[in-house]
Amino acid sequence: MLLMQRPIFRLVGQGAAWVALFFILSGFVNSLKPVKLARAGSVEPALSNLAVSAFRRSFRLVLPAAAATILSWFITQFGAYETAQKSDAYWLYTTSPNPSSSWVAAVDDLLRAFRTTWTYNPDNPYDQPQWALLYLLQGSMFVFTALLVTINLTPRWRVFTIIFLYFWSWNWGIRLGDPMVGVNVFMGVLFAELNHSDYPLRFAKYSPLFSPPFAVAGLTLMSFPSQFQDWAPWSDKLLQWQVKLAPANAEVMRFWPTIGAQLLTFSILMSPHFRRALSHRWLLWLGKISFPLYLLHGSFMRSVLAWLLFSQQQITEIEEEGKRHMRYPLPGMPTFLVVMPVFFVILFTATHFWAVKIEPYFGIITKTAEDIMFGKSERNTALPVRKD
């Protein structure tokens, strides 16, 4: 387990780093086509693309999240998280909900979970990782609004404006619930501008010199732990530097992972070798299932993984903060080495099924809503239409 305290190795469970990377990619993907159209002088198509993308984004986040919540809620009622609740794994037992007292109460709990996922200080008791979805939607709207305002600017002035928003968001981001949303999505917009410029091509021959060090530095910073940073010399040193360098509103646990994710993304954009390597079909498949993986991994960890890890353990009395609890102790390393590959096969199979069989229905619902609300289909209207 000491190995998992080392930089890069500990990225497997480093949630803050992957959330930062997800926000950067969200800003990048949402701005890629509008930026390309704007640079080509096609302002009207760019504005139309922004309008449609903003509409679709809400549906494509809310619908899958609701489906994942229903899945977790349903298995909760049958005690699927009971083993996780009795385990000595902190995240598992603190995020595993109890079954509702009745099915009527369960429906009420489900509706409350839908609501609290999208309200200030989001909290979904059935799927804790969904706390980031509100801020992901918020970040997307930051991108659409910023591009709407700057779409007529020249690329140079648009970049200057986005850079200003990037630094400014370090100040006001915390007022909107999450101080790291703006700095990541605006960096994603800057990366989209960089992608459509000639800089990656001009510096391609030098990329083997600077991209690998940038990538290693980024991965190291992304490894900064969410707590107990002073337990290891390398993270304690970063903590001391953060006190001197970080803006006042930066979160301690997320400042370095945010900077690291930005460095890593920059190194990939500037390196044709990295980009070619990441275009492998297996990595493209991982990208395809990334959002289903995000939605399902929590439920599968608290059910399937908990059962695989702890089902053969004997429940014992464990002291915690002066109190005694009956819990399943953490298994030894041999058990982890056997269980984790099995778990990942199950998890990736489920996420692939979700991406191939379930995700298309969300696209159909979104397209149908778009046709109705944009007036693209012939349907009866609430009020008669004048024909003169």
Side-chain angles (χ1 to χ4, degrees), residues 239-252:
L239 182 62
Q240 295 174 29
W241 288 351
Q242 178 175 336
V243 174
K244 301 176 182 178
L245 299 175
N249 291 330
E251 277 192 56
V252 172

Side-chain angles (χ1 to χ4, degrees), residues 71-313:
L71 173 64
S72 180
W73 164 83
F74 184 76
I75 64 176
T76 295
Q77 308 311 317
F78 294 94
Y81 299 145
E82 184 176 348
T83 301
Q85 289 174 329
K86 296 179 180 179
S87 72
D88 195 33
Y90 178 80
W91 187 84
L92 292 182
Y93 72 73
T94 56
T95 62
S96 297
N98 291 310
S100 304
S101 58
S102 66
W103 280 103
V104 174
V107 172
D108 183 63
D109 291 340
L110 176 63
L111 295 176
R112 187 181 301 109
F114 287 154
R115 185 179 70 253
T116 56
T117 302
W118 302 102
T119 53
Y120 185 75
N121 287 331
D123 174 41
N124 185 328
Y126 297 107
D127 196 11
Q128 183 271 341
Q130 288 195 28
W131 71 266
L133 289 181
L134 172 65
Y135 302 116
L136 195 62
L137 179 60
Q138 184 185 81
S140 299
M141 297 307 153
F142 287 172
V143 171
F144 296 140
T145 304
L147 290 177
L148 179 65
V149 173
T150 61
I151 204 72
N152 276 305
L153 302 183
T154 63
R156 175 178 297 178
W157 285 106
R158 185 167 54 250
V159 167
F160 284 159
T161 304
I162 300 300
I163 290 174
F164 170 76
L165 290 173
Y166 170 83
F167 285 105
W168 192 24
S169 66
W170 283 103
N171 174 262
W172 52 256
I174 195 170
R175 305 298 179 186
L176 300 178
D178 191 316
M180 298 303 182
V181 174
V183 297
N184 282 315
V185 296
F186 289 136
M187 184 57 73
V189 179
L190 292 175
F191 286 149
E193 292 280 2
L194 178 64
N195 181 72
H196 288 306
S197 72
D198 61 350
Y199 286 108
L201 184 61
R202 286 166 56 183
F203 287 92
K205 61 181 179 180
Y206 305 110
S207 65
L209 298 177
F210 65 83
S211 283
F214 271 57
V216 172
L219 290 169
T220 301
L221 295 179
M222 289 171 67
S223 305
F224 187 73
S226 300
Q227 54 185 348
F228 310 122
Q229 296 89 356
D230 57 343
W231 284 15
W234 68 273
S235 56
D236 185 46
K237 180 61 70 174
L238 286 177
L239 182 62
Q240 295 174 29
W241 288 351
Q242 178 175 336
V243 174
K244 301 176 182 178
L245 299 175
N249 291 330
E251 277 192 56
V252 172
M253 60 179 279
R254 295 171 63 195
F255 173 74
W256 287 123
T258 290
I259 301 300
Q262 294 173 3
L263 284 175
L264 177 64
T265 310
F266 174 76
S267 70
I268 294 170
L269 279 176
M270 296 299 290
S271 171
H273 304 289
F274 282 170
R275 296 174 81 158
R276 193 177 305 115
L278 292 172
S279 298
H280 190 277
R281 62 190 184 96
W282 284 107
L283 295 177
L284 293 176
W285 172 74
L286 282 176
K288 179 181 178 181
I289 67 167
S290 60
F291 191 52
L293 181 63
Y294 168 78
L295 291 174
L296 296 180
H297 79 278
S299 297
F300 274 71
M301 286 177 65
R302 292 174 294 167
S303 55
V304 177
L305 180 60
W307 184 84
L308 290 173
L309 285 176
F310 300 104
S311 61
Q312 301 303 313
Q313 298 293 104

